[in-house]
């Protein structure tokens, strides 16, 4: 049965807690995560041997701790993310490795950290193999392979093909294996993160490429990773991905390899967005309702400093109004929703290429709340201090209770690392 998403233009509660109550208690703009949705998504993926959360999507410690408690392992793309995983309770070593450092380069800090801490490394470039082998011979590694084709909803999110910087080019696999062996590294697994989502024809190609690559590497392979890229429906009427079909394709690939190798092959999946996107809501307050010629604008106190996906990719997010009078039968208007930043691109209702679009939303007034939905992935994680706005607060709703998991940044924190040099003339005077 195909499950289809349905988003309402009104939202009065999140996980049983009134939106207005959260806004009054924690202020706006604030990110709210509904824990029950994350648990649901985890449960749906239990068929895979390992669910590995790509924490770059949403790396708050409370979210990582929740993943840890649920038996979800974690992916780290920087030294900072490795440290976050440790702070959330993950240990360095284990089989399967609890934390995998997965990137296309080591910066010097990350290389030092993974060598010293014994973290598992998934290499996305020949240089990573060289640099790791030079200082950590004897270790096991996995390889991220770029199969030569990709998929993604924009050029900026495409993770395969010859325009993608990611992974070891498929033609170089043998070279990479020889290199690793020469340096005393053993390659125990392969990884492809292509973002094939719900395009099953494409996914079948990815699986076939994985099978070829694994057979090239041979019996040393004990794990394969399907990477991330599971989509979620951002619009009403869009279907949820058919997880059973998705698993079936990967499982068949794994079984073929098990048969060929004569030993078990672990099947990992590495979602970011899928686990957290729908759990997250950005609550903003409407601060101006403006009419410019034929255009009606709702200007809110959150901009691309809080949620960058619309300006970066023209990403679509469902939006809703929290009506303070409780009326959910207001007339709908075509609205452009923008933020506070001094930048004309600070518009949440835009399509790829920066084209401003209108959205049917309930009539609303200054002081009411606008909720940007499906904002749990790549939302807070990409927030910035542009225009010296403070990073928003983050709140987790668990068992009908809203708890602060990151307090709003303060102005003192914003400028804490800066030094105002005395001017020369002042020093002389
Ligand atoms: C970003 C990333 C993911 C997660 O991608 P989603 O589209 O959020 O599922 C998984 N693996 C790697 C290596 C990534 O870089």
């Amino acid at each position: 049965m195909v499950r289809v998403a349905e988003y309402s233009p009104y939202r009065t509660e999140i996980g049983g807690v009134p939106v207005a109550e959260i806004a009054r208690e924690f202020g706006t703009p604030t990110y709210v995560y509904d824990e029950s949705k994350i648990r649901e998504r985890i449960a749906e993926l239990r068929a895979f041997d390992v669910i590995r959360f790509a924490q770059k999507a949403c790396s708050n410690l409370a979210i990582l701790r929740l993943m840890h408690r649920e038996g979800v392992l974690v992916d780290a793309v920087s030294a900072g993310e490795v440290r976050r995983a440790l702070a959330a309770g993950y240990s360095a070593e284990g089989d399967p490795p609890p934390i995998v450092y997965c990137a296309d380069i080591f910066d010097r800090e990350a290389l030092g950290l993974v060598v010293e801490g014994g973290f598992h490394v998934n290499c996305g470039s020949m240089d990573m193999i060289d640099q790791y082998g030079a200082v950590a011979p004897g270790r096991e590694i996995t390889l991220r392979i770029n199969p030569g084709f990709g998929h993604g909803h924009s050029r900026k999110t495409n993770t395969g093909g010859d325009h993608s910087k990611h992974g070891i080019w498929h033609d170089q696999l043998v070279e990479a294996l020889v290199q690793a062996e020469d340096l005393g590294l053993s390659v125990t697994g392969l990884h492809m993160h292509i973002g094939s989502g719900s395009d099953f024809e494409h996914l079948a190609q990815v699986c076939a490429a994985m099978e070829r690559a694994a057979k090239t590497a041979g019996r040393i392979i004990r794990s394969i990773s399907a990477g991330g890229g599971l989509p979620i429906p951002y619009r009403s009427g869009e279907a949820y991905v058919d997880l059973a079909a998705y698993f079936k394709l990967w499982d068949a690939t794994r079984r073929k390899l098990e048969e060929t190798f004569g030993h078990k092959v672990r099947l990992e999946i590495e979602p970011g967005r899928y686990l957290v996107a729908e759990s997250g809501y950005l609550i903003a307050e409407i601060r101006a309702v403006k009419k410019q010629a034929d255009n009606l604008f709702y200007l809110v106190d959150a901009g691309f400093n809080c949620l960058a996906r619309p300006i970066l990719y023209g990403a679509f997010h469902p939006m809703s109004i929290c009506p303070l009078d409780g009326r959910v039968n207001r007339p709908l208007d075509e609205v452009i929703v923008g933020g506070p930043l001094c930048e004309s691109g600070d518009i949440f209702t835009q399509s790829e290429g920066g084209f401003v679009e209108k959205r049917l939303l309930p009539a609303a007034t200054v002081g009411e709340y606008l909720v940007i939905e499906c904002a749990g992935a790549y939302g807070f994680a990409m927030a910035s201090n542009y225009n010296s706005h403070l990073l928003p607060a983050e709140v987790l709703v668990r068992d009908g209770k809203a708890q602060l998991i990151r307090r709003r940044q303060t102005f003192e924190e914003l400028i804490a690392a800066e030094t105002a040099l005395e001017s020369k003339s002042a020093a002389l005077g």
Side-chain angles (χ1 to χ4, degrees):
M1 200 187 69
V2 183
R3 213 158 51 90
V4 167
E6 201 50 61
Y7 300 104
S8 161
Y10 295 97
R11 174 160 299 278
T12 53
E13 53 82 36
I14 296 169
V17 184
V19 168
E21 196 179 297
I22 297 174
R24 276 195 295 269
E25 183 172 354
F26 302 103
T28 56
T30 287
Y31 272 96
V32 184
Y33 309 101
D34 178 351
E35 181 177 296
S36 66
K37 293 229 166 129
I38 299 176
R39 287 179 190 281
E40 261 173 43
R41 294 296 168 263
I42 295 170
E44 288 171 358
L45 296 176
R46 294 277 186 209
F48 290 85
D49 299 323
V50 167
I51 309 169
R52 190 176 293 286
F53 177 47
Q55 65 167 294
K56 71 174 192 274
C58 184
S59 56
N60 184 289
L61 285 182
I63 303 291
L64 294 184
R65 181 65 64 91
L66 168 67
M67 298 292 176
H68 184 250
R69 266 204 316 273
E70 293 286 322
V72 173
L73 305 184
V74 76
D75 188 52
V77 297
S78 67
E81 287 194 355
V82 170
R83 293 206 170 98
R84 272 186 181 278
L86 290 174
Y90 286 93
S91 43
E93 287 170 81
D95 185 25
I99 304 171
V100 169
Y101 177 83
C102 178
D104 297 299
I105 66 156
F106 287 116
D107 56 36
R108 291 179 189 277
E109 186 193 6
L111 182 57
L113 186 65
V114 297
V115 170
E116 204 157 297
F119 297 96
H120 184 87
V121 171
N122 185 33
C123 296
S125 65
M126 299 290 279
D127 291 296
M128 279 183 78
I129 300 175
D130 289 347
Q131 291 162 19
Y132 194 54
V135 288
R139 297 265 180 96
E140 294 185 350
I141 57 171
T142 46
L143 301 181
R144 176 174 181 175
I145 305 299
N146 180 336
F149 49 86
H151 209 270
H153 57 81
S154 91
R155 273 176 308 232
K156 290 177 191 156
T157 56
N158 202 333
T159 51
D162 59 1
H163 283 89
S164 163
K165 65 172 183 164
H166 297 300
I168 292 170
W169 191 244
H170 58 110
D171 271 356
Q172 285 188 300
L173 173 58
V174 171
E175 196 186 325
L177 292 165
V178 170
Q179 191 95 311
E181 194 174 338
D182 284 351
L183 291 166
L185 298 170
S186 33
V187 177
T188 58
L190 296 180
H191 172 282
M192 280 180 192
H193 169 64
I194 305 298
S196 33
S198 46
D199 178 346
F200 287 104
E201 212 169 295
H202 185 261
L203 184 63
Q205 287 177 19
V206 178
C207 289
M210 175 64 92
E211 189 184 332
R212 276 196 305 276
K215 284 179 174 167
T216 300
R219 293 191 65 251
I220 50 170
I221 296 301
R222 297 198 316 263
S223 75
I224 58 172
S225 172
L230 280 178
I232 66 118
Y234 281 101
R235 294 172 195 257
S236 283
E238 274 179 13
Y240 282 88
V241 58
D242 183 347
L243 284 176
Y246 185 91
F247 175 75
K248 207 169 143 191
L249 274 170
W250 276 110
D251 187 42
T253 304
R254 175 257 297 277
R255 281 171 200 274
K256 276 186 252 177
L257 294 176
E258 287 183 335
E259 200 161 298
T260 306
F261 298 157
H263 61 233
K264 286 237 166 281
V265 174
R266 186 172 74 233
L267 177 58
E268 296 203 1
I269 188 167
E270 200 177 77
R273 174 187 328 281
Y274 192 77
L275 292 177
V276 290
E278 292 157 281
S279 78
Y281 304 81
L282 174 59
I283 305 180
E285 185 186 345
I286 299 175
R287 298 300 304 159
V289 177
K290 244 191 191 182
K291 187 104 194 210
Q292 321 258 52
D294 285 337
N295 294 326
L296 178 64
F297 289 83
Y298 289 175
L299 300 185
V300 301
D301 60 4
F304 70 75
N305 56 309
C306 298
L307 177 67
R309 296 186 70 252
I311 195 170
L312 280 178
Y313 319 117
F316 182 101
H317 283 268
M319 290 181 201
S320 54
I321 295 293
C322 172
L324 291 183
D325 60 3
R327 276 183 56 215
V328 291
N329 57 351
R330 299 178 179 189
L332 299 182
D333 272 327
E334 288 209 305
V335 185
I336 298 169
V337 179
L341 304 179
C342 293
E343 187 93 35
S344 48
D346 188 25
I347 295 290
F348 287 118
T349 47
Q350 62 177 294
S351 54
E352 197 176 356
F355 300 100
V356 172
E357 309 223 311
K358 293 181 180 176
R359 186 78 63 91
L360 269 182
L361 283 173
T365 56
V366 167
E368 291 192 299
Y369 303 112
L370 178 113
V371 183
I372 304 184
E373 312 205 351
C374 296
Y378 309 106
F380 185 92
M382 285 186 168
S384 77
N385 283 124
Y386 190 48
N387 283 195
S388 287
H389 283 284
L390 305 173
L391 292 177
E394 291 177 288
V395 166
L396 184 70
V397 175
R398 170 182 295 167
D399 302 329
K401 232 183 104 205
Q403 300 179 69
L404 192 63
I405 57 173
R406 180 186 175 115
R407 62 169 170 72
R408 190 175 309 284
Q409 191 181 28
T410 63
F411 175 71
E412 289 66 34
E413 287 168 332
L414 179 74
I415 58 165
E418 298 178 28
T419 308
L421 294 177
E422 294 306 323
S423 74
K424 250 192 185 144
S425 53
L428 288 175

